[in-house]
Amino acid sequence: MINKFTATALTTLALALPAQAQNFDDPVEFAKQKDMLGAAANGDASTPWLQHYGDVMADTSAFKKDGPHTICFSNAGVNNPWRVVGWNTMQAEVEQHDNIAEFVVTDAEGSDDKQIADIEDLLAGGTCDALIVSPNTTAALTPAVEKACEQLPVIVFDRGVNTDCPVTFIKPVGGYGFGIQSGEFIAANAPEGSDVLMLRILPGVDVLETRYSAAKRILEEAGLNIVGAEFTDGDRAKTKAIVEDYIQRGNQLGAVWMDAGATSVAAIEAFEDMGLDVPIVTGEDQQDFLQKWQEIGMNTIAPTYPTYQWRTPILAALKILDGEAIPGPEWNLPQPAITNDNLGDFVNASMPPLHYAACGCEGMPGYPERWGGK
């Protein structure tokens, strides 16, 4: 049996390719994703990583070939807990398929230049039957993805690029949907006219930029006062320090909006350490946040960007190489939100603090130990 997790040789020279602009405040896409949030997805709800919205399918008959296959994956990195959970889930999915002879993986470690070079190396190797890409940032990776599309079927997931050349782009409903879910909750539950602090992790990633633009639009339309939009770099100490600074400035924070939930507990602790009531602090499906929410009885919401989406590209690659039609050019997966009503369904004290609950991994080999559970 060929080792499924062979690493490729990496070049040290990055290619300088032109970036392309993208509109991160698109009212048409905003409306499209809002509609999807209220629609029923096609397929079996017990396997949400295979569900999809709409009936548009991509013809993959031209890519049909005999297996077993070499599937290649260019990963932006495993530089935050969400990506670690997803990566564990993807590997578990790969191991269930005998028709995958080799799974060749590169890790860009959060660098655009390295990921561009990684993709060049994968293409030069000539062994990939299909290429999966999770882009580090949107514009910078677009030319590299376009070049790859000229040689083999490409699947983009998680973060997008500014081209429709991939066979499909796999994601949940999307960043606008995430921002709509959290923004509408704050608008409906924060004190009228109160201050809102918006915290972000990094710029230039489509799904994060659209989360911000959607929530900002909703909060402004609701008459709430956005007192700041700050980048935290996903760092807990920095997050806590920013929140403390805004409190000390005299802002009456009715909510802290987060574009990603890994540091939500740090924001909560800023209020607790200063002896203040905790306002709305949004988060995601990370266990430390869910357990803190349950413990102190917060009124909040956790939009999700489910890590079960890391299963879908593997399944899509195999379907493409079998010549089977798949949802495309977009494959939109369900994007549930955790609320006060269903919180208990997602809290799991046997899983580690940094585990994301919507992993779709509960029935996979090695669960829960592979994901750090007990």
Side-chain angles (χ1 to χ4, degrees):
M1 171 67 77
I2 300 173
N3 183 352
K4 290 184 176 180
F5 299 103
T6 303
T8 63
L10 300 174
T11 61
T12 57
L13 295 177
L15 300 178
L17 295 172
Q20 299 179 21
Q22 181 174 354
N23 177 13
F24 294 124
D25 191 11
D26 182 349
V28 174
E29 187 63 24
F30 178 100
K32 173 185 169 184
Q33 293 190 21
K34 186 170 184 176
D35 288 344
M36 273 194 284
L37 290 174
N42 298 312
D44 186 349
S46 68
T47 54
W49 51 90
L50 286 173
Q51 289 187 282
H52 64 95
Y53 294 94
D55 300 317
V56 179
M57 306 292 281
D59 180 3
T60 70
S61 56
F63 301 114
K64 185 175 181 179
K65 64 187 304 185
D66 293 335
H69 305 295
T70 296
I71 307 298
C72 297
F73 174 37
S74 170
N75 192 7
V78 284
N79 46 9
N80 63 50
W82 184 89
R83 303 193 71 82
V84 171
V85 174
W87 173 227
N88 283 333
T89 302
M90 177 180 274
Q91 292 176 87
E93 183 63 52
V94 168
E95 291 172 3
Q96 297 183 84
H97 299 281
D98 292 337
N99 208 29
I100 299 177
E102 191 171 11
F103 187 41
V104 182
V105 182
T106 62
D107 184 341
E109 302 173 2
S111 165
D112 289 337
D113 288 344
K114 186 174 186 302
Q115 189 167 28
I116 292 166
D118 287 348
I119 292 172
E120 282 290 315
D121 280 351
L122 291 171
L123 297 178
T127 61
C128 302
D129 294 312
L131 174 64
I132 298 166
V133 181
S134 177
N136 186 57
T137 62
T138 300
L141 268 297
T142 296
V145 169
E146 289 178 325
K147 184 173 182 180
C149 289
E150 297 173 359
Q151 299 186 36
L152 77 175
V154 177
I155 300 152
V156 172
F157 87 103
D158 164 33
R159 303 166 176 176
V161 286
N162 297 334
T163 176
D164 60 2
C165 77
V167 178
T168 193
F169 170 30
I170 296 166
K171 64 177 179 62
V173 169
Y176 290 103
F178 187 106
I180 289 167
Q181 289 169 319
S182 49
E184 287 185 341
F185 182 89
I186 292 173
N189 290 274
E192 184 177 354
S194 61
D195 296 338
V196 179
L197 174 60
M198 303 188 77
L199 297 183
R200 310 176 61 192
I201 54 173
L202 74 161
V205 175
D206 61 348
V207 69
L208 299 176
E209 294 285 356
T210 53
R211 289 178 187 184
Y212 171 67
S213 72
K216 181 173 181 286
R217 175 190 301 192
I218 291 167
L219 297 176
E220 289 176 340
E221 289 176 351
L224 296 170
N225 181 31
I226 299 174
V227 293
E230 304 282 354
F231 287 104
T232 68
D233 304 321
D235 181 86
R236 292 185 174 224
K238 186 173 181 179
T239 298
K240 187 176 180 182
I242 290 171
V243 176
E244 289 172 343
D245 179 54
Y246 273 82
I247 294 171
Q248 290 165 353
R249 294 183 197 179
N251 295 290
Q252 302 300 309
L253 295 177
V256 178
W257 177 86
M258 315 283 291
D259 74 351
T263 61
S264 294
V265 171
I268 293 168
E269 290 172 346
F271 292 94
E272 291 181 321
D273 290 354
M274 298 178 77
L276 301 173
D277 292 337
V278 180
I280 298 168
V281 178
T282 65
E284 285 185 89
D285 52 319
Q286 191 169 292
Q287 281 296 325
D288 64 348
F289 173 70
L290 300 181
Q291 292 174 32
K292 185 71 170 179
W293 175 359
Q294 188 175 67
E295 173 192 341
I296 67 176
M298 293 170 58
N299 182 36
T300 190
I301 192 170
T304 68
Y305 203 61
T307 48
Y308 59 59
Q309 69 184 279
W310 288 69
R311 300 185 68 167
T312 315
I314 300 300
L315 297 165
L318 292 173
K319 288 177 182 291
I320 290 168
L321 294 171
D322 283 343
E324 181 180 340
I326 63 169
E330 284 190 359
W331 185 338
N332 293 297
L333 306 168
Q335 184 171 300
I338 301 173
T339 67
N340 290 295
D341 292 335
N342 63 5
L343 174 61
D345 297 337
F346 291 90
V347 172
N348 185 347
S350 70
M351 298 305 288
L354 303 185
H355 179 71
Y356 281 77
C359 66
C361 59
E362 291 81 3
M364 302 186 84
Y367 181 87
E369 292 82 6
R370 183 174 201 148
W371 289 264
K374 57 185 178 182

